Amino acid sequence: MGDPMEAALLSLAAKAGLERDELLAAMPEMSEEAFDPELKMMATIHEAAGGHFVAVKGAPEAVLEHIVSVASPDGAAGLSEVERAAWRERSAELAGRGLRVLALAAKRARAAGEPVYGELTLLGLVGLQDPPRRDVAGAIAACRQAGIRVIMATGDHAVTAQQVAEAVGLGVQDRELVVDGRDLPPLDAMSASERERFLSAGIFARVSPKQKLDLIALHQGAGDVVAMTGDGVNDAPALTKADIGVAMGQRGSQVAREAADMVLRDDAFASIVAAIGQGRVIFANIRKFIVYLLSCNLSEIMVVGLASLSGMPLPILPLQILYLNLVTDVFPAFALGAGEGEADVMERPPRNPKEPLLARRHWITIVSFGAAITASTLAAFYLAMTLLEMDPEQAVTIAFLTLALSQLWNVFNMRERGTGFLRNEITRNLYVWAAIAWCLALTVGAVYMPGLADILSLSPPDMEGWMLAVGLSLVPWLLGQLAKLGPRKKRATGNVAEG
């Protein structure tokens, strides 16, 4: 390692301010040893007089294990164990300042089959500053508020990881919650106490791709839903194994993007949080859409069924039911699907992934609202024939109007329990008001338009008939609003882990 040519090559590589093209012109690259996640190093082999020049970079603790000398202006000098420990301290100092540290080394290889990483000469340490984006801290705080746990799993030094974690509000005070990859045994070799410890850990440093797979399996085995973010080729297996793989669209590799379920176009962690919020809103809107339609359709079935079983004349005719299904049910349901959700959607705990789309409480709601609408419609039909002494056709019109109006007002019963009576996600939805106005026009038109009224067998009611229909149509709405009083009930949920 001490010949003049070697010293010249090492001096050339160690100089600052040289362009890469200049170095490659002096020493053309012949081949490359790809980064090895286990060794935590990579190398390039270059042509040089009298043999080959090997340039190595990697994690300081890994490179220092293969160092036998240190480059100096006078050539390569031997490295003692004391000096090796001093270099480790320098690396730890740089990492403690939040820098990502790389060790650079080189050697002269005279034979083609010579081990690449053997007998290296240390050129120095490089500290890279990669500050987190400003929006990360707020995004992590939003995750914590939403019941989502964020875990850092990185290939960086543990000290660097802690510095970055503190900068983004993910600081871990207890050092026991910071795990070095070298202390992380395989999943099948973990004891029960180790599993508990690693499940509670918040930072994993110097982890390999295989260890990321074990961490995902560990949390999934504990019932967590795991979202994994990554950008490298080595992250592809973990992105595939996670419940939701999230790849970086700008700096992510093609392999990572193809393995992921979702790709971030802006590489921003805040975009994940925004997607979670939108996902919660969409899922809630789907539930409201289904609950509304099922409760309305159930009321139509119950009106006809109960009237037939009791021997009453039919309160509503087949064409009238078809008209309601095609007109008054559809538009309010579509409007519910366009809702923007409540402002506190990210302050609620995650939904248990094992919970069905319609849980028991939703079926109770469907039956309850359907029964209330049915009762109001049958009551209006009965009172129209008895109290108001209407003929069957006029009584059917009253029942039709009561059923149609009850279903329209039922859209306001789709608000969340504990939300404001006047200000909630339903009343703030302009599409709901437009749908109600349109459906009211279609309902009134069905009664007063001569051709349409004849087809549907409807006749215009008098003032008493309108008062009866409108008054009884408000009863299901009133009962639904009373049911929404009180605080929102908290439900058991599954944990969500993100790495």
Side-chain angles (χ1 to χ4, degrees):
M1 297 291 295
D3 60 84
M5 176 59 72
E6 182 69 16
L9 290 173
L10 293 174
S11 176
L12 178 62
K15 278 185 178 180
L18 290 179
E19 295 291 335
R20 183 173 185 271
D21 293 340
E22 296 179 32
L23 291 172
L24 289 177
M27 295 175 288
E29 182 177 327
M30 299 172 56
S31 61
E32 176 182 309
E33 289 285 329
F35 179 77
D36 189 324
E38 300 298 330
L39 294 176
K40 295 182 173 60
M41 293 185 292
M42 70 163 292
T44 54
I45 296 88
H46 304 261
E47 292 182 4
H52 309 302
F53 181 80
V54 180
V56 177
K57 68 178 179 180
E61 65 270 20
V63 175
L64 287 172
E65 290 296 324
H66 297 79
I67 295 298
V68 296
S69 59
V70 179
S72 68
D74 300 325
L79 181 71
S80 67
E81 290 302 319
V82 174
E83 291 172 324
R84 193 189 308 273
W87 280 102
R88 290 194 181 100
E89 290 180 4
R90 293 188 185 102
S91 173
E93 180 184 353
L94 291 173
R97 288 156 53 185
L99 301 176
R100 294 183 172 179
V101 186
L102 286 177
L104 306 181
K107 77 167 189 175
R108 175 75 171 273
R110 293 178 174 81
E114 185 176 329
V116 175
Y117 299 115
E119 298 184 347
L120 298 175
T121 297
L122 180 66
L123 301 179
L125 299 175
V126 175
L128 304 175
Q129 188 173 25
D130 186 14
R133 298 170 61 145
R134 295 181 180 179
D135 57 355
V136 173
I140 291 178
C143 284
R144 187 177 291 111
Q145 193 173 35
I148 301 169
R149 185 179 174 211
V150 181
I151 298 172
M152 178 185 293
T154 177
D156 290 333
H157 193 283
V159 179
T160 303
Q162 279 188 277
Q163 291 291 328
V164 174
E166 291 178 4
V168 298
L170 194 62
V172 178
Q173 303 299 325
D174 189 351
R175 289 187 177 274
E176 290 293 321
L177 301 181
V178 180
V179 178
D180 192 290
R182 292 170 293 186
D183 301 326
L184 189 63
L187 180 61
D188 54 6
M190 291 183 190
S191 63
S193 60
E194 286 178 327
R195 287 174 180 263
E196 290 297 325
R197 177 197 169 198
F198 297 139
L199 282 172
S200 61
I203 299 176
F204 294 87
R206 292 302 193 212
V207 292
S208 66
K210 173 62 170 63
Q211 289 174 324
K212 289 183 179 181
L213 288 173
D214 286 345
L215 289 174
I216 292 172
L218 178 66
H219 281 276
Q220 288 176 333
D224 295 337
V225 177
V226 182
M228 164 71 188
T229 62
D231 54 11
V233 174
N234 294 324
D235 291 327
L239 290 170
T240 302
K241 184 175 181 58
D243 297 287
I244 305 172
V246 183
M248 304 297 110
Q250 294 181 352
R251 68 175 185 271
S253 64
Q254 181 68 26
V255 175
R257 293 197 295 269
E258 291 179 355
D261 302 294
M262 181 172 70
V263 178
L264 298 180
R265 296 180 61 183
D266 57 0
D267 287 8
F269 186 79
S271 296
I272 300 177
V273 181
I276 294 172
Q278 287 300 311
R280 290 185 175 188
V281 170
I282 292 171
F283 188 85
N285 287 346
I286 292 174
R287 271 186 168 167
K288 291 182 178 68
F289 179 95
I290 296 175
V291 170
Y292 173 77
L293 280 181
L294 288 182
S295 60
C296 291
N297 291 335
L298 179 62
S299 66
E300 296 167 3
I301 296 172
M302 294 175 68
V303 164
V304 175
L306 291 177
S308 300
L309 291 175
S310 62
M312 295 173 59
L314 283 180
I316 189 166
L317 304 179
L319 280 179
Q320 295 171 358
I321 294 176
L322 180 62
Y323 186 82
L324 291 177
N325 288 335
L326 292 177
V327 176
T328 60
D329 287 359
V330 173
F331 295 107
F334 284 164
L336 288 174
E340 297 181 358
E342 291 289 349
D344 64 346
V345 66
M346 287 299 287
E347 298 177 11
R348 306 175 190 176
R351 178 183 60 87
N352 190 329
K354 296 181 180 180
E355 183 181 82
L357 180 61
L358 293 181
R360 181 173 177 270
R361 64 182 183 279
H362 300 111
W363 288 110
I364 293 175
T365 300
I366 291 169
V367 173
S368 299
F369 288 156
I373 295 173
T374 300
S376 293
T377 303
L378 291 178
F381 183 67
Y382 176 78
L383 292 175
M385 288 195 301
T386 57
L387 183 64
L388 301 183
E389 299 180 348
M390 292 183 176
D391 57 56
E393 183 177 351
Q394 290 179 317
V396 166
T397 301
I398 300 302
F400 170 82
L401 290 173
T402 305
L403 181 59
L405 295 176
S406 296
Q407 292 180 349
L408 288 182
W409 313 146
N410 188 41
V411 73
F412 295 106
N413 290 333
M414 298 300 110
R415 69 180 176 91
E416 291 285 346
R417 179 188 174 97
T419 55
F421 175 73
L422 295 177
R423 294 287 296 172
N424 53 67
E425 60 177 317
I426 306 299
T427 58
R428 290 195 302 267
N429 188 343
L430 297 180
Y431 293 107
V432 168
W433 293 106
I436 289 176
W438 174 244
C439 291
L440 282 174
L442 293 174
T443 302
V444 174
V447 175
Y448 287 99
M449 290 180 63
L452 184 58
D454 294 338
I455 294 174
L456 297 177
S457 301
L458 298 173
S459 60
D462 55 16
M463 182 58 67
E464 290 182 336
W466 271 109
M467 291 176 62
L468 178 62
V470 173
L472 286 177
S473 71
L474 291 172
V475 172
W477 167 79
L478 180 60
L479 294 176
Q481 295 305 302
L482 292 175
K484 300 296 181 178
L485 297 177
R488 181 184 293 113
K489 294 181 179 179
K490 292 187 177 181
R491 303 185 294 274
T493 62
N495 293 324
V496 179
E498 295 194 4

